[in-house]
Amino acid sequence: MVQNMENKSLLNKKSIDIVSGLTIRIPTVGEVLDNEDIYSTIVSFTTAVPYQYMVFLADMDIDFTTITDYDLFLMLFPVYQKEDLSILFGNLDLSDFYRTKNPQNDTWILYSPQNDLIIDELVYHLLSNAILAINQTEKIHRKMGNEKAKECAIEKARRKLERRARRKQKEESQFEKLVVAMVNRSDFKYDYDTVMNLSIYRFYKSVKQIQQNIAFENTMTGVYSGTIDTSKMTDKSSLSWIAK
């Protein structure tokens, strides 16, 4: 049975039931810090869009504008399914999933005989949306105006990847920087010890709220000093201190 997340708060949740037999854990800040590389990898391949993998797809002679997010997920899944994915998938063993056709509608699915579990396009979208919600992020979709724009985008992305490879050094953890920044704000009520037990969802919701507080305070300072005219603001979200 497909689970419906609509209008359900995750503030008091430690996991999300996607379908029977498939549950997503909501890890803590401490767990993510200890497993940041694999966590980032899982979030990436379960929520990725073809635009983000345009170079990888181009090298396989696949036009990234012609495949769906689900198509990309089916391609990436075998690369990662034998890794330790327990930080998000708990005790579920994903190693025996294989790609096959659904006899009912002739569409591609992933099937696990061991768990008698099917991941079809609907389940994928529920899974992907749950992980996006946990991490308070959205998919990045870009439209290409023409073939020239597409080629330029691919070459730009390729140069970026090459520069990163030439550095040959591990990039500093952006998540650690965010944790440090939050702990050192007076309006964040957690210290280095207590923040580790905070769910990643609660942490990111707190980040967004504090960002809203800053925007609101800056806007009100401008309003009171006369440098901001609220009637001319196209985006009025900063007029409220409550984050969307």
Side-chain angles (χ1 to χ4, degrees), residues 65 142-150:
T65 64
R142 297 284 189 275
K143 289 186 178 180
M144 299 291 106
N146 51 44
E147 285 299 313
K148 183 64 176 178
K150 187 195 305 180

Side-chain angles (χ1 to χ4, degrees), residues 86-137:
S86 59
I87 188 171
L88 271 179
F89 289 93
N91 295 325
L92 179 64
D93 182 5
L94 281 77
S95 63
D96 75 324
F97 274 89
Y98 67 93
R99 181 171 173 166
T100 186
K101 282 289 185 76
N102 186 337
Q104 296 181 349
N105 55 22
D106 202 37
T107 58
W108 288 109
I109 61 171
L110 294 173
Y111 176 66
S112 165
Q114 175 183 332
N115 302 291
D116 191 24
L117 183 59
I118 290 175
I119 299 179
D120 59 14
E121 188 165 7
L122 173 59
V123 173
Y124 156 73
H125 282 297
L126 291 171
L127 169 68
S128 184
N129 289 338
I131 294 175
L132 288 169
I134 290 171
N135 293 279
Q136 286 294 283
T137 189

Side-chain angles (χ1 to χ4, degrees), residues 197-214:
N197 296 317
L198 201 62
S199 79
I200 194 68
Y201 175 78
R202 289 179 176 180
F203 177 74
Y204 280 131
K205 289 293 281 188
S206 298
V207 170
K208 286 200 168 187
Q209 181 57 61
I210 288 178
Q211 288 173 333
Q212 184 68 24
N213 291 348
I214 294 170

Side-chain angles (χ1 to χ4, degrees), residues 2 8 18 60 81 83 102-103 167 179 192 231:
V2 174
K8 290 185 178 180
I18 307 300
M60 297 178 66
Q81 70 180 115
E83 300 290 336
N102 186 337
R167 293 193 202 109
V179 172
Y192 284 118
S231 65

